[in-house]
């Protein structure tokens, strides 16, 4: 049984935390501090924080660790065999990377060296990749540049969303990191060819630009929270699919509704008004009009 710290924040990291708690001694859990969320902007703990408390584990939520000698000393004082990191959200300095006896392992949601960085799941969908996967790597100072220990591929099906891919990858990460700790496999240096970077996602990345082709927009809608404007309203576009049709980009072609794109058209399947419920397009259009012949900006 290894003495370890777990460092992660979102839902993706929770299966790994639970698996490690069942198999090893988790002496501390590091995650992002509670932040305002939701309509009331109430202080809300991240999923890993909530799971750790449920398991009775000690939780630490430093706002920063890179240049904080007290945090470095506290981490070293844990006397760790290893630390496991999964979408933690903070960059670890050398003092922390080198403190555990077996170093720090990262559960990364891509087949490295493809999609190093902050948004590997979304980037794989956006690019139309045929597969994604999980890589267990030994961490170093570079951005996801460390040597690889284990990798496992997961196919990306034609209509798969980022949420569905996330749910497929999370248990793979939990299983692989247990194997890496048990087997301590030899490290493999990442090849320099095939390196791509997954940038941090912003809200504006989800804005629909009807001048793009329908296939590209379909990937964007499956990858990101997307929206478009109609008059004074901002509407969330939750699901769509490529369809036959042509016209000026943004033109509402019919009552299905199909919207003309730079190439082809999109059939809108599920939408949401601000403050409203997500609805199938047929139900949504009973209370909201998208008149054929109008052009969306």
């Amino acid at each position: 049984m290894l003495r370890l710290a777990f460092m992660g924040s979102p839902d993706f990291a929770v299966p790994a935390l639970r698996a490690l708690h069942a198999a090893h001694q988790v002496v501390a859990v590091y995650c992002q501090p509670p932040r305002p969320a939701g309509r009331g902007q109430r202080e809300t703990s991240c999923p890993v924080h909530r799971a750790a408390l449920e398991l009775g584990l000690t939780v630490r939520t430093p706002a920063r660790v890179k240049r904080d000698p007290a945090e470095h000393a506290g981490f070293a004082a844990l006397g760790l065999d290893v630390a496991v990191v999964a979408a933690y959200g903070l960059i670890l300095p050398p003092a922390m990377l080198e403190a555990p006896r077996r170093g720090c392992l990262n559960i990364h949601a891509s087949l490295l060296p493809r999609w190093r960085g902050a948004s590997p799941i979304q980037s794989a969908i956006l690019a139309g990749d045929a597969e994604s996967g999980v890589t267990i790597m030994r961490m170093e100072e570079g951005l996801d540049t460390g040597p690889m220990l284990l990798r496992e591929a997961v196919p990306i099906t034609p209509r798969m969303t980022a949420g569905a891919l996330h749910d497929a990858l999370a248990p793979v990460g939990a299983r692989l990191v247990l194997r890496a700790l048990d087997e301590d496999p030899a490290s493999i240096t990442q090849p320099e060819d095939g390196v791509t970077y997954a940038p941090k996602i912003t809200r504006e990345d989800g804005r629909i630009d009807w001048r793009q082709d329908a296939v590209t927009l379909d990937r964007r809608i499956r990858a990101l929270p997307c929206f478009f404007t109609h008059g004074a309203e901002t509407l969330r576009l939750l699901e769509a699919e490529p369809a036959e049709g042509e016209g000026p980009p943004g033109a509402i072609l019919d009552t299905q509704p199909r919207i003309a794109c730079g190439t082809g058209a999109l059939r809108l399947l599920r939408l949401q008004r601000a403050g409203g419920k997500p609805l199938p397009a047929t139900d949504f259009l009973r209370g909201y009009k998208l008149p054929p012949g109008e052009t969306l900006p």
Side-chain angles (χ1 to χ4, degrees):
M1 179 177 287
L2 296 172
R3 182 178 175 87
L4 62 86
F6 184 80
M7 313 178 87
S9 296
D11 285 314
F12 175 79
V14 171
L17 171 61
R18 294 188 183 280
L20 290 165
H21 172 66
H24 296 283
Q25 183 185 9
V26 180
V27 298
V29 174
Y30 284 73
C31 57
Q32 292 284 309
R35 291 192 170 92
R39 278 184 168 182
Q41 292 294 286
R42 298 176 62 181
E43 288 285 305
T44 303
S45 299
C46 68
V48 164
H49 192 157
R50 297 194 297 270
L53 292 180
E54 178 190 320
L55 295 170
L57 300 173
T58 299
V59 179
R60 299 184 179 185
T61 58
R64 59 188 61 84
V65 296
K66 191 171 184 180
R67 296 182 178 87
D68 191 333
E71 285 295 340
H72 306 169
F75 188 72
L78 293 173
L80 301 173
D81 293 310
V82 66
V84 174
V85 181
Y88 176 34
L90 294 178
I91 296 174
L92 301 186
M96 296 180 75
L97 292 173
E98 297 165 5
R101 180 176 61 84
R102 287 174 56 176
C104 298
L105 304 188
N106 180 244
I107 305 171
H108 188 74
S110 82
L111 296 174
L112 290 172
R114 187 161 178 79
W115 303 129
R116 294 175 179 173
S119 60
I121 292 174
Q122 297 90 336
S123 293
I125 299 284
L126 285 168
D129 289 357
E131 65 177 7
S132 179
V134 172
T135 303
I136 308 299
M137 55 166 282
R138 207 173 289 283
M139 295 178 70
E140 57 183 29
E141 284 191 74
L143 178 64
D144 299 327
T145 58
M148 303 179 294
L149 302 180
L150 295 170
R151 295 163 88 235
E152 184 173 319
V154 171
I156 299 177
T157 57
R159 304 304 305 155
M160 183 175 267
T161 64
L165 181 56
H166 166 282
D167 292 348
L169 294 177
V172 175
R175 177 165 44 79
L176 282 190
V177 78
L178 288 181
R179 271 189 58 201
L181 293 177
D182 290 346
E183 300 172 10
D184 196 16
S187 299
I188 301 171
T189 301
Q190 291 189 40
E192 285 305 310
D193 58 320
V195 172
T196 56
Y197 290 93
K200 185 176 180 179
I201 298 296
T202 69
R203 181 179 183 276
E204 282 303 302
D205 290 322
R207 184 182 294 276
I208 294 294
D209 181 352
W210 301 108
R211 295 170 296 180
Q212 294 185 312
D213 66 86
V215 170
T216 297
L217 286 176
D218 171 55
R219 292 173 185 164
R220 186 164 296 274
I221 294 159
R222 288 187 287 114
L224 305 173
C226 284
F227 64 94
F228 65 93
T229 56
H230 177 242
E233 291 219 45
T234 297
L235 304 178
R236 290 189 64 197
L237 180 50
L238 306 174
E239 186 179 354
E241 64 183 3
E244 297 283 331
E246 59 181 29
I252 302 173
L253 299 177
D254 55 28
T255 58
Q256 292 187 17
R258 287 180 303 146
I259 314 297
C261 305
T263 302
L266 273 184
R267 180 179 292 108
L268 311 190
L269 299 177
R270 199 156 57 99
L271 301 104
Q272 182 180 13
R273 296 177 77 172
K277 296 180 180 179
L279 293 172
T282 51
D283 296 336
F284 182 87
L285 293 174
R286 290 194 183 102
Y288 189 95
K289 302 302 180 185
L290 289 173
E294 282 192 14
T295 298
L296 301 171

